[in-house]
Amino acid sequence: QQPVQSPQAVILREGEDAVINCSSSKALYSVHWYRQKHGEAPVFLMILLKGGEQKGHEKISASFNEKKQQSSLYLTASQLSYSGTYFCGTVSGTYKYIFGTGTRLKVLA
Amino acid sequence: GAGVSQTPSNKVTEKGKYVELRCDPISGHTALYWYRQSLGQGPEFLIYFQGTGAADDSGLPNDRFFAVRPEGSVSTLKIQRTERGDSAVYLCASSLQASGNEQFFGPGTRLTVL
């Protein structure tokens, strides 16, 4: 089952914050987050492992709640370069790697 | 260092033909994945290699699709009797080990079946 992401799309002004959610119907071992710009390959942002870990870069962080089978990506003080489609990727006990439904993010100047 | 490379970048073929798509992973990466991505969709898992063996090929849609990685580095995705529905971008990714590691994606091969 493909993880469901919400919202499907979001438009921000530069400097605004956003949260992207990823919800799975299966137990998760890890969650990865990727960003894909139009016409390009996905680029890795971060991985969260089982254990309620929270990680982050400067203005991009994420949390993983394995009990709820959910992960959230937090974008703070968004920049134009944040525009793209965000995917969560999940692994559930096998090596089969499933990407979420995607969230299109557009940051306006 | 060099990233993941894929050739060709674009492939146009006719329905019923055979195609091969090549992936050169990052040197030293033992894990290799193939995905298929249609417009507006996320990457769809096809097959995962650990070394030379296919550890999970459950994503291959049918027996027209086959992939090999004979020496544990370069991989080839082979599609027989192509159909128009096979048109998509085929992405390859590699990682140091298995699923707990960051995947590095290649630029993809855009396959168009006429």
Side-chain angles (χ1 to χ4, degrees):
Chain A
Q1 293 283 4
Q2 188 177 26
V4 176
Q5 291 182 229
S6 62
Q8 287 184 328
V10 58
I11 299 176
L12 301 172
R13 291 282 178 191
E14 244 185 319
E16 292 182 338
D17 302 340
V19 179
I20 299 172
N21 300 301
C22 171
S23 183
S24 173
S25 59
K26 285 190 169 184
L28 302 175
Y29 287 81
S30 65
V31 177
H32 301 207
W33 284 95
Y34 289 82
R35 176 171 59 215
Q36 186 175 29
K37 293 186 179 285
H38 183 68
E40 299 179 9
V43 173
F44 174 83
L45 294 176
M46 67 186 72
I47 177 174
L48 299 105
L49 303 175
K50 202 172 179 180
E53 179 176 18
Q54 183 157 351
K55 278 195 171 184
H57 295 268
E58 288 183 358
K59 296 178 181 177
I60 300 177
S61 62
S63 62
F64 175 30
N65 185 328
E66 69 263 30
K67 282 187 179 178
K68 292 185 177 180
Q69 295 163 193
Q70 291 176 346
S71 178
S72 294
L73 185 71
Y74 307 94
L75 305 172
T76 306
S78 58
Q79 304 169 11
L80 295 175
S81 62
Y82 287 6
S83 293
T85 301
Y86 289 77
F87 293 102
C88 62
T90 61
V91 179
S92 303
T94 68
Y95 297 113
K96 188 169 184 175
Y97 197 88
I98 308 296
F99 279 86
T101 51
T103 296
R104 292 188 309 279
L105 180 80
K106 177 75 173 176
V107 180
L108 302 175
Chain B
V4 178
S5 62
Q6 292 184 246
T7 54
S9 55
N10 277 286
K11 176 71 178 178
V12 180
T13 191
E14 293 179 344
K15 182 174 178 292
K17 299 288 188 182
Y18 168 82
V19 296
E20 288 190 354
L21 311 180
R22 176 186 167 109
C23 171
D24 274 274
I26 293 173
S27 177
H29 281 194
T30 60
L32 186 146
Y33 299 80
W34 281 101
Y35 297 89
R36 177 169 69 175
Q37 188 172 28
S38 300
L39 193 62
Q41 305 294 316
E44 173 194 4
F45 172 89
L46 296 177
I47 187 169
Y48 161 69
F49 285 93
Q50 181 59 41
T52 59
D56 189 332
D57 64 357
S58 61
L60 295 177
N62 51 60
D63 61 6
R64 295 187 297 105
F65 288 75
F66 189 72
V68 295
R69 194 186 185 198
E71 296 177 0
S73 55
V74 171
S75 176
T76 305
L77 179 66
K78 309 180 181 193
I79 310 174
Q80 298 177 319
R81 305 183 303 281
T82 51
E83 299 177 357
R84 293 198 179 88
D86 297 336
S87 296
V89 174
Y90 288 80
L91 293 166
C92 173
S94 71
S95 67
L96 268 175
Q97 294 173 22
S99 53
N101 288 269
E102 171 183 357
Q103 293 186 31
F104 295 84
F105 281 82
T109 293
R110 180 175 298 279
L111 175 67
T112 303
V113 182
L114 302 175

